[in-house]
């Protein structure tokens, strides 16, 4: 019980419980609330009395009726209810069960069963408490339970197994108590309180926090209870749970505590009516923020749901721990509002669509207004107009909207109510952390924080230097300011600053508690207001939204200013809070205009003013320019957008990568073509916990990962998604950083690590994810003791369909999709069977275990530390998998597309969209492959797997040619979906092919190991690249087949394989290869480790040995070479020259020379001369000299 | 986490270091193999696990070192396209040109411990090719000299004049005479592709050497 150690120590030196301390403030506030609520409660319920006057109860642990009910009863009947135990004031302690230790500590107090209260009420007078005293019952049921627990939990086994009956108030709950509050909370404040305050208060705290829930809930919460301070130890707790259940004893109920208090705005609780829960909210809110490490997962809308449905969180105690964490995290909740509002907007749209047109009340009003003052001759706005509506310091203005006395005063929304001072915990070294961030500060330019409550997902952002930490910080409250009023901002108080510091800066600073219910109400009415004008709304967060008013303005004929004014007035009227509106022609400018509009104003940035306006804007105001980028820009001498405009696009792209570079280039000129999207596709599902991660055992980490996976599963299920890429993110204490961070339970200074793995098929199974995550975890070889944060993310999502086979959606989909996807590019229809076969050719996953693998095989374990992690074989082996490549939009003939049936077209478009969704990390195109000459544009190579003879004149080109891709590239799922006989056929084909390639393989590995080497640093390899390059390998055996029917070593593929002149390959290549300049640069990483640069190939072969084999076959089997083939060889040689691989060229030429000049046919000699002449010309052109052929 | 990322390490620098070291070895070896200097001034050394010859003539060594020292910044910035060791006859007409053509690697990365040994393998292969290149080349006329040319990209030369890496060791633009070789024959020796650089070595040889 290491916690106990410092708890005791801390309690000696605190000054916490003293007057003016935090606790005092809290308690008095609670009392105040209680008094306030009491009359109201009495009003509601007629039967009130004063039987309990003079009685002040404190509820400890689980009771029936619940603490909350008891609180209400006390309100009704003139009693007092203490959330915290105070020896002097509290008269009775209500409990049904107390652990031995606690009983010992509470000696001399009246510990009474709750029936005392209910019976008293029934009797209409205050009964004697004596018969209800708890210790009289102690002997019976409860005692056994205590024993049972003692056995279960070694930590309490040292307790006397038999409580001293003479000490009825003794108490054994202490151990759990301390730890449960630590573990369960995302909080920095509460545990600190616990640690410093009297133990008794802990109990009070916890007990009072207890809210009645179903037994399931209770159990769940118990899952949090851990005797150990290692962050989570589900196993143990479950064991404890078991024992709890079996003994049917609520012995541990006090541990329920804060979790429950955390209750998310339950529908039944109106802000005013429930002081206690409300209070809990405040604190929890702060916790999250304080802790800072807590990573907001903006995509996790499911959580909001689960937290709104108490019943749901009851699914499985295992997931409980983490799901509780999230469902009780206030900030997390708020972050999910955006999704809710997005959905709200969506539902509005769909409803209006269904209703055949929506009624826009606001719009109508404006129309009338317009009609009334017809003089307002507004110029027709043809240009697009985006409104950016942003509430002015949202949290503050909501917080004070019913408190006019605070208007115009410096106000901050924070949870700290005291003077802003706390004691320092031992083990922490805030100075060191401070210095660390100060160092960072020197690196990064200090950034101005703007806007309300910045919910920065970056794990360290909340600890940015602008927190205003100074060396004195040990004594200052680290409660962060979520939002502060403009008056406060004038005094240099900033959002995210620690409250203690802010109080120093601005002694008048008033703090206002969080009020989540109100936030939601206000936000909702803001959205309602906006929706009364148009449905073209993109929800950005709870307090800001984008509105595409282009159409609206044209329709109404009003100016943007009028519209903004109307909207602002509306919002002001409905919410009592002011909003600012920025308007301009695109999102970027609108947001910038909002900055200028604030506070409580509006600004229309006209297109003619843009240039002047943007020149003076700091670069940091551009979206996507964060600390690191702005510091980089500073080093380039750039501080404003004007400076940025001076940089060329190539320079920017060199510095920041092609994509970011271009974005910057456009943004700093005020160009932004992002549309206002009312619907956003989610790109990842993740769950992350950076608070209170303190593992001692590997097993703990493992089970934590399992739980986290379950949480992810829940979210994915909620969103109806499955994903293929699993990323494990870990925060590790930075070597040298203090073991105990300044922030209680926080992560302190950390290094971040991440690893990911690509699954064969998308999944949403928590088990699977957990298995992978644990594997990743072990692969990272980390010291569990230094872990400070763990996150799991699932990317490459796709919708999960109900798939009875349980094999994931792609299976059922792929063949059909392939069929459809192929249509736009190649209009001639093929018979379905052929389609089915051909689908095998499109390949994706590389099972490392497959025997005839090529160099493209990922080597598990060779990639170190990169994002890539080859999937472990056992998953791939079992299934094969298909994916189809739809040509990128730019390459599809629009007319063809339009001619397609609607559903087919939809599918194609869908697949484009899907592609766009893929995370794009294109730092890569900076070296565009110089392929265009050798491999001209076309849809990506892989697409064309089926080739219909396009030369009817040739005798050998009837029938369908099936190329065999590398086995490694066969999609397991498709394979599995194929008919039995086809599978067998393919298998045998591959077996043969494997033989043929076996020795080539060896050479590949030896000669060209770099594909393995380069992988990790490359990080994300483009699929597109892979495709292009994969194709040569894939085609490997087939050219032989086609060229030399009968002689080919790999000829045993299906009978449909027919000879085809070499030329066809050339032709196909031209058609198939992806254009390097294609806009679709957003290609996801793949497992393939192929060279991204196209390797010159001769009919698919690129290894010299293959080429040699190919040439030998050619020369020895055919008496008279065809012209096309010769040209093909010339082309290959030319490519070699261009690829600067003269050595190979030299070898090829010499080999051909030997072969052809030895040949009895003189045509071969001539052919060689022809080839040589052509090659010499190219070499001459390139190098100014010719090859010396001896 | 043994991965070195782009940020951690200046790739250009690493590649340039490796390359310049190799070039030094290669130039010495070429001078030996092509018998530009009497074999007496060469000593047998071991590099890349194979025997190589290195001159022990201090001035020659200094010259080679200085030259490469100046080449290095160019390579770092990827501005050098070719480094050419030109062997010239008495009339200062080139008879042979050993061209090290440097291109950026297909993918610039340094990632694993195997890297160095892999690069070393490739460089060793190249060294071995140089040692045996006399087999494919005609003998040189007596009294040959050598010089080193660098083919730069873009306007690198201008910068070079501004920033002289070594004082009093300026570069000059090569005479057409030095560069141009009539009726040259090209003999590719070796091509290597590694993570950090792609390089090929070929020899251009004048058809009529005497």
């Amino acid at each position: 019980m290491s916690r106990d150690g410092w708890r005791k120590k801390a309690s000696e030196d605190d000054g916490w419980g003293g007057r003016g301390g935090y606790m005092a403030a809290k308690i008095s506030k609670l009392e105040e609330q209680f008094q306030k609520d009491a009359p109201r409660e009495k009003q509601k319920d007629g039967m009130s009395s004063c039987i309990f006057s003079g009685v002040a109860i404190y509820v400890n642990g689980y009771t029936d009726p619940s603490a909350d009910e008891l609180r209400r009863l006390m309100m009704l009947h003139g009693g007092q209810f203490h959330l915290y135990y105070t020896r002097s004031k509290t008269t009775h302690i209500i409990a049904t069960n107390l652990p031995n230790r606690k009983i010992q500590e509470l000696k001399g107090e009246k510990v009474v069963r709750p029936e005392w209260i209910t019976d008293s009420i029934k009797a209409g007078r205050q009964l004697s408490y004596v018969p209800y005293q708890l210790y009289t019952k102690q002997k019976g049921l409860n005692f056994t339970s205590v024993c049972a627990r003692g056995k279960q939990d070694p930590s309490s086994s040292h307790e006397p197994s038999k409580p001293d009956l003479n000490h009825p108030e003794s108490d054994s709950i202490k151990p759990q108590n301390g730890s449960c509050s630590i573990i369960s909370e995302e909080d920095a404040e509460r545990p600190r309180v616990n640690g410093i305050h009297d133990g008794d208060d802990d109990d009070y705290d916890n007990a009072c926090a207890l809210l009645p829930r179903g037994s399931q809930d209770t159990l769940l919460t118990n899952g949090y209870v851990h005797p150990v301070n290692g962050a989570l130890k589900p196993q143990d707790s479950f064991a404890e749970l078991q024992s709890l259940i079996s003994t049917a004893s609520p012995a541990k109920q006090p541990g329920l505590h804060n979790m429950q208090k955390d209750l998310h705005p339950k529908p039944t609780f109106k802000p005013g009516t429930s002081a206690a829960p409300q209070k809990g909210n405040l604190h929890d809110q702060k916790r999250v923020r304080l802790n800072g490490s807590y990573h907001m997962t903006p995509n996790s809308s499911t959580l909001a749901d689960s937290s709104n449905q108490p019943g749901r969180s009851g699914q499985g105690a295992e997931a409980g721990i983490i799901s509780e964490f999230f469902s009780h995290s206030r900030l997390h909740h708020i972050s999910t509002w955006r999704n809710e509002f997005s959905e709200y907007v969506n539902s509005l749209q769909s409803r209006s669509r269904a209703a055949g047109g929506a009624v826009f009340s606001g719009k109508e009003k404006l129309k009338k207004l317009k009609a009334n003052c017809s003089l307002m001759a507004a110029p027709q706005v043809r240009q697009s107009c985006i409104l950016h509506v942003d509430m002015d310091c949202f949290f503050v203005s909501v917080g004070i909207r019913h408190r006019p006395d605070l208007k115009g005063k410096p106000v901050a929304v924070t949870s700290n109510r005291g003077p802003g001072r706390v004691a320092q915990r031992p083990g922490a070294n805030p100075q060191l952390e401070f210095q660390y961030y100060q160092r960072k500060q020197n690196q990064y330019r200090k950034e101005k924080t703007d806007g309300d409550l910045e919910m920065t997902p970056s794990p360290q952002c909340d600890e940015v230097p602008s927190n205003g930490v100074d060396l004195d910080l040990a004594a200052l409250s680290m409660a962060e300011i979520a939002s502060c009023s403009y008056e406060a901002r004038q005094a240099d108080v900033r959002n995210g600053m620690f409250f203690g510091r802010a109080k120093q800066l601005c002694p008048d600073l008033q703090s206002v508690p969080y009020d989540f219910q109100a936030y939601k109400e206000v936000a909702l009415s803001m959205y309602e207001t906006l929706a009364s004008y148009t449905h073209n709304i993109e929800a950005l967060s709870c307090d800001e939204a984008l509105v595409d008013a282009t159409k609206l303005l044209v329709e109404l004929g009003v100016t943007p200013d009028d519209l903004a004014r109307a909207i602002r007035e509306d919002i002001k009227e409905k919410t009592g809070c002011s909003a600012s509106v920025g308007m301009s022609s695109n999102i970027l400018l609108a947001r910038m205009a909002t900055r200028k509009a604030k506070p409580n104003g509006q600004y229309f940035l006209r297109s003619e003013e843009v240039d002047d306006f943007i020149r003076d804007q700091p670069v940091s105001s551009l979206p996507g320019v964060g600390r690191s980028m702005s510091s980089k820009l500073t080093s380039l001498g750039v501080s404003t957008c004007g400076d940025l405009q001076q940089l060329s696009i190539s320079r920017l792209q060199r510095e920041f990568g092609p994509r970011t570079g271009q974005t910057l280039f456009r943004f700093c000129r005020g160009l932004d073509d992002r549309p206002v999207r009312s619907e956003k596709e989610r790109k990842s599902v993740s769950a992350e916990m950076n608070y209170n991660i303190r593992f001692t055992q590997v097993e703990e980490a493992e089970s934590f990962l399992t739980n986290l996976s379950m949480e992810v599963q829940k979210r994915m299920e909620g969103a109806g998604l499955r994903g293929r890429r699993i990323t494990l993110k870990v925060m590790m204490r930075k070597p040298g950083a203090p073991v105990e961070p300044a922030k209680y339970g926080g992560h302190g200074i950390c290094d971040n690590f991440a690893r990911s793995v690509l699954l064969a098929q998308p999944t949403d199974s928590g088990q699977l994810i957990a298995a992978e995550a644990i594997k990743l975890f072990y692969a990272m070889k980390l010291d569990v003791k230094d872990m400070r944060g763990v996150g799991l993310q699932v990317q490459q999502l796709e919708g999960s369909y109900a798939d009875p086979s349980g094999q994931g959606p792609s299976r059922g989909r792929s063949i059909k999709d392939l069929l459809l996807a192929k249509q736009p590019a190649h209009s001639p229809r093929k018979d379905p069977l052929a389609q089915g076969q051909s689908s095998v050719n499109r390949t994706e996953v590389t099972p490392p275990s497959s025997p005839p693998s090529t160099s493209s095989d990922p080597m598990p374990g060779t990639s170190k530390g990169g994002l890539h992690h080859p999937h472990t074989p056992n998953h791939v082996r079992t299934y094969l998998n298909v994916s189809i490549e739809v040509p990128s939009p730019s390459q599809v003939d629009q007319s063809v597309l339009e001619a397609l049936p609607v559903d087919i077209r939809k599918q194609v478009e869908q697949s484009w969209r899907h592609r766009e969704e893929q995370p794009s990390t294109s730092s890569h195109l900076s070296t565009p492959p110089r392929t265009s000459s050798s491999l001209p544009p076309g849809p990506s190579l892989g697409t064309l797997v089926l080739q219909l003879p396009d030369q009817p004149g040739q005798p050998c080109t009837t029938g369908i040619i099936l190329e065999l891709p590398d086995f490694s590239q066969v999609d397991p799922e498709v394979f599995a979906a194929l008919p039995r006989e086809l599978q067998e056929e393919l298998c045998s084909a591959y077996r043969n092919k494997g033989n043929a390639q076996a020795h080539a393989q060896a050479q590949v590995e030896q000669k060209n190991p770099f594909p393995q080497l380069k992988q990790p640093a490359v990080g994300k390899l483009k699929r597109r690249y892979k495709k292009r390059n994969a194709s040569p390998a894939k085609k490997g055996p087939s050219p032989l087949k086609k060229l030399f029917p009968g002689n080919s070593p790999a000829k045993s593929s299906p009978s449909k394989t027919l000879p085809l002149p070499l030329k066809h390959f050339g032709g196909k290549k031209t058609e198939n290869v992806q254009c390097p300049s294609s806009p679709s640069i957003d290609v996801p990483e793949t497992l393939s480790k192929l060279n991204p640069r196209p390797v010159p190939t001769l009919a698919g072969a690129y290894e010299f040995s293959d080429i040699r084999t190919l040439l030998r076959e050619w020369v020895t089997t055919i008496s008279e070479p065809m012209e096309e083939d010769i040209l093909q060889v010339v082309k290959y040689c030319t490519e070699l020259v261009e690829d600067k691989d003269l050595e190979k060229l030299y070898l090829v030429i010499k080999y051909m020379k030997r072969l052809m000049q030895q040949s009895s046919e003189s045509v071969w000699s001539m052919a060689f001369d022809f080839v040589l002449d052509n090659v010499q010309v190219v070499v001459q052109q390139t190098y100014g000299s010719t090859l010396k052929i001896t | 986490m043994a991965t070195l990322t782009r940020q951690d390490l200046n790739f250009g620098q690493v590649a340039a270091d490796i390359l310049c070291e190799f070039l030094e070895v290669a130039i010495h070896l070429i001078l030996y193999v092509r018998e530009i200097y009497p074999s007496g001034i060469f000593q047998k050394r071991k590099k890349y696990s194979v025997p190589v010859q290195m001159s022990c003539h201090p001035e020659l060594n200094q010259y080679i070192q200085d030259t490469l020292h100046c080449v290095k910044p160019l390579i770092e910035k990827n501005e050098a396209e070719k480094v050419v060791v030109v062997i010239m006859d008495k009339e200062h007409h080139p008879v042979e040109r050993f061209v090290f053509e440097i291109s950026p690697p297909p993918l610039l990365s340094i990632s694993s411990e195997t890297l160095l040994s892999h690069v070393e393998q490739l460089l060793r292969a190249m060294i071995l090719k140089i040692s045996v290149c006399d087999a494919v080349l005609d003998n040189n006329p007596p009294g040959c000299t050598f010089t080193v040319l660098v083919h730069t990209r873009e306007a690198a030369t201008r910068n070079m004049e501004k920033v002289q890496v070594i004082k009093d060791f300026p570069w000059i633009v090569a005479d057409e005479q030095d560069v141009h070789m009539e009726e040259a024959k090209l003999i590719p020796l070796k091509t290597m592709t590694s993570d950090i650089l792609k390089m090929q070595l070929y020899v251009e040889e004048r058809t009529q050497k005497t």
Side-chain angles (χ1 to χ4, degrees), chain A residues 223-237:
Chain A
Y224 271 85
V225 180
H226 283 293
V228 197
N229 55 4
L232 294 165
K233 242 172 113 186
Q235 241 59 324
D236 284 5
S237 66

Side-chain angles (χ1 to χ4, degrees), chain A residues 753 864-865 924 1009-1010 1013-1014 1016-1018 1091-1093 1139-1143 1146 1179 1183 1185-1188, chain B residues 1 3 101 103 106-107 109 111-114 118 136 184-188 190-191 195 198 200 202 204-205:
Chain A
F753 301 102
K864 291 224 159 99
H924 193 95
F1010 71 86
L1013 295 182
K1014 78 175 180 246
V1018 172
N1091 185 352
R1093 224 183 155 101
D1139 196 47
K1140 308 205 169 168
D1141 200 348
L1142 285 176
E1143 191 195 5
Y1146 201 48
V1179 175
Y1183 292 100
S1185 47
T1186 51
L1187 278 178
K1188 181 183 184 178
Chain B
M1 300 274 143
T3 314
E101 191 174 11
S103 357
L107 264 176
S109 71
S111 50
S112 105
E113 311 82 75
T114 57
H118 173 59
V136 289
K185 283 288 175 194
L186 192 146
I187 300 122
K190 191 75 196 161
T191 304
D195 284 3
K198 180 172 167 156
Q200 71 170 335
Y202 59 86
E204 285 175 295
E205 186 182 33

Side-chain angles (χ1 to χ4, degrees), chain A residues 1056-1109:
Chain A
K1056 293 196 177 63
T1057 306
L1058 287 175
L1060 189 73
L1062 196 50
K1063 183 183 169 193
H1064 285 267
F1065 287 96
K1068 285 311 167 196
K1069 251 187 235 159
T1070 337
E1071 225 177 287
N1072 288 345
V1073 178
Q1074 167 72 30
C1075 170
S1077 62
S1078 150
S1080 53
I1081 33 175
D1082 44 343
V1083 197
E1085 50 215 297
T1086 61
L1087 276 173
S1088 168
K1089 306 208 163 188
L1090 278 160
N1091 185 352
R1093 224 183 155 101
V1095 181
T1097 56
L1098 177 63
Y1102 62 92
E1103 261 323 304
F1104 181 60
S1105 55
D1106 294 347
I1107 303 267
R1108 228 163 42 183
T1109 320

